[in-house]
Amino acid sequence: MIIDCHGHYTTAPAPHQAYRDAQLAAFKAGHSLPRPQPISDDEIRESVEKNQLKLIRERGADMTIFSPRASAMAHHVGDEAVSREWTEACNNLIKRVVDLYPETFIGVCQLPQSPGVPIENSIAELERCVNELGFVGCNLNPDPSGGHWTSLPLTDKSWYPFFEKMVELDVPAMVHVSATCNPNFHSTGAHYINADTTAFMQFLEGDLFGDFPDLRFIIPHGGGAVPYHWGRYRGLADMLKQPPLREHVMKNVFFDTCVYHQPGIDLLFRVIDIDNILFGSEMVGAVRGIDPETGQYFDDTKRYIENLGLSGENRQKVFEGNARRVYPRLDAALKAQGK
Ligand SMILES: [Zn+2]
């Protein structure tokens, strides 16, 4: 089967955004925070069937690992209570999509992070989403400040309580920033790719996986700039007297295929071991248009992978096997469906 590890609910029904707008207005005015607005199953069906489901059917995927819209997480907006209540509403909406289409979607949660707030405070929502909602992973924001990088690197011990819970629950995290409030960085064009690259370098510099040999991260967007500069990172590991990347980082870190042109996918597969690559499209997401050079959607990444002429075994790894290995709870859910 074909598993897309990176999909967002970017097309949520209008009352969801209306709730967010009302919530932020209430926060600004110093009023008590409103509750989410009602959304019907039909509104959810319509929002998914015209968008993600239509494209999934056209492009030929089976299962999408589905999370709230990343740019709307906006952890830097409001305060801890605002972030927590917004996060719960976003995750609850993902659960409703999964319940309507259990053969096609499985949930990954957003976390209620806020700048300066300890990551321990995000553990309860991770537990709720995994234990009660059946989610299989989370999106972890390494920069809740939205582009000012006021928190410490992911290898700092302040993150450890959350990593301990991830290991206990056996769920991976996708390293995923949100919108930026720093005008120097375009959210999807610069901040996302910067964060991917930054997280990888943090892992290289530290020894996080010496402390957590079972911890797993997906670095999206093809690993940011990392595959293109693989020689630089191998060389830096050597200079910094770290073990080779294969042992030091790549037992625990995986890249998706959200790279929107053929030469980028060619390079990713040439440089990165096949066991570390998970099919992903980030659809419907960052780049929605059609490439005038090819006449195909930029984010139809399956097409680029098909062009690689992979062996049957490698194809199975990228489209299914690696995702089942990195997300054991997905594997269990699929097995429960007889897949
Ligand atoms: Zn994303």
Side-chain angles (χ1 to χ4, degrees):
M1 63 184 300
I2 292 175
I3 300 167
D4 185 333
C5 78
H6 192 168
H8 294 296
Y9 197 9
T10 47
T11 58
H16 188 55
Q17 185 59 45
Y19 159 60
R20 176 63 159 172
D21 294 343
Q23 188 208 35
L24 295 181
F27 173 75
K28 206 172 161 193
H31 299 154
S32 60
L33 298 177
R35 296 307 305 152
Q37 300 187 8
I39 296 173
S40 70
D41 283 354
D42 281 345
E43 283 177 292
I44 294 176
R45 281 194 197 96
E46 191 185 350
S47 73
V48 174
E49 287 187 8
K50 283 185 181 164
N51 297 293
Q52 288 85 357
L53 265 181
K54 175 173 170 282
L55 292 170
I56 287 168
R57 286 182 188 129
E58 282 172 12
R59 297 177 187 182
D62 300 300
M63 172 64 82
T64 294
I65 299 176
F66 205 49
S67 61
R69 182 181 185 184
S71 61
M73 296 190 297
H75 294 118
H76 57 280
V77 172
D79 64 5
E80 186 178 2
V82 166
S83 185
R84 187 178 62 248
E85 293 187 14
W86 170 238
T87 296
E88 288 169 2
C90 290
N91 291 333
N92 290 344
L93 208 50
I94 293 294
K95 167 66 172 163
R96 290 184 64 193
V97 174
V98 171
D99 283 347
L100 288 170
Y101 305 98
E103 309 251 308
T104 309
F105 295 105
I106 196 152
V108 151
C109 64
Q110 160 181 341
L111 295 167
Q113 299 177 248
S114 290
V117 173
I119 193 68
E120 284 96 320
N121 296 17
S122 296
I123 289 176
E125 180 63 0
L126 178 70
E127 286 185 306
R128 183 182 81 94
C129 289
V130 173
N131 291 331
E132 295 173 30
L133 308 187
F135 287 16
V136 299
C138 61
N139 289 338
L140 181 68
N141 186 347
D143 174 30
S145 75
H148 291 284
W149 293 92
T150 53
S151 45
L152 288 163
L154 289 170
T155 49
D156 186 81
K157 290 208 160 45
S158 57
W159 294 92
Y160 277 29
F162 190 80
F163 297 156
E164 283 163 11
K165 185 56 68 174
M166 280 173 59
V167 170
E168 182 195 316
L169 295 171
D170 204 12
V171 292
M174 181 173 277
V175 176
H176 210 310
V177 286
S178 184
T180 168
C181 57
N182 182 335
N184 289 289
F185 304 126
H186 182 273
S187 290
T188 53
H191 186 45
Y192 281 26
I193 309 300
N194 294 348
D196 302 335
T197 312
T198 297
F200 185 86
M201 189 61 208
Q202 291 175 358
F203 296 146
L204 189 163
E205 274 192 279
D207 187 24
L208 183 60
F209 306 119
D211 287 343
F212 293 98
D214 296 323
L215 189 63
R216 299 178 300 283
F217 291 102
I218 301 92
I219 298 186
H221 322 113
V226 171
Y228 190 65
H229 288 286
W230 193 239
R232 173 174 294 251
Y233 294 107
R234 283 178 47 235
L236 280 167
D238 187 50
M239 266 174 63
L240 295 169
K241 307 213 174 339
Q242 296 286 34
L245 293 177
R246 185 183 289 266
E247 289 126 61
H248 184 52
V249 177
M250 297 309 281
K251 286 181 186 165
N252 304 77
V253 170
F254 305 85
F255 297 161
D256 74 11
T257 64
C258 298
V259 175
Y260 294 158
H261 67 151
Q262 189 70 49
I265 289 286
D266 293 349
L267 178 108
L268 175 69
F269 278 77
R270 189 165 166 202
V271 170
I272 301 301
D273 194 285
I274 195 83
D275 291 323
N276 293 81
I277 304 175
L278 275 62
F279 169 60
S281 67
E282 199 171 25
M283 179 271 288
V284 178
V287 179
R288 303 185 185 203
I290 289 175
D291 184 343
E293 292 181 12
T294 64
Q296 309 293 345
Y297 283 101
F298 283 104
D299 65 3
D300 187 0
T301 56
K302 180 163 167 279
R303 193 177 288 275
Y304 311 130
I305 299 165
E306 300 286 11
N307 287 340
L308 295 171
L310 296 175
S311 69
E313 186 190 350
N314 284 345
R315 195 174 182 285
Q316 193 275 341
K317 284 181 176 180
V318 171
F319 282 123
E320 178 181 353
N322 292 344
R324 282 181 179 255
R325 185 162 47 86
V326 174
Y327 295 84
R329 286 173 180 267
L330 165 70
D331 185 48
L334 289 171
K335 282 179 177 151
Q337 291 182 3
K339 293 173 186 164

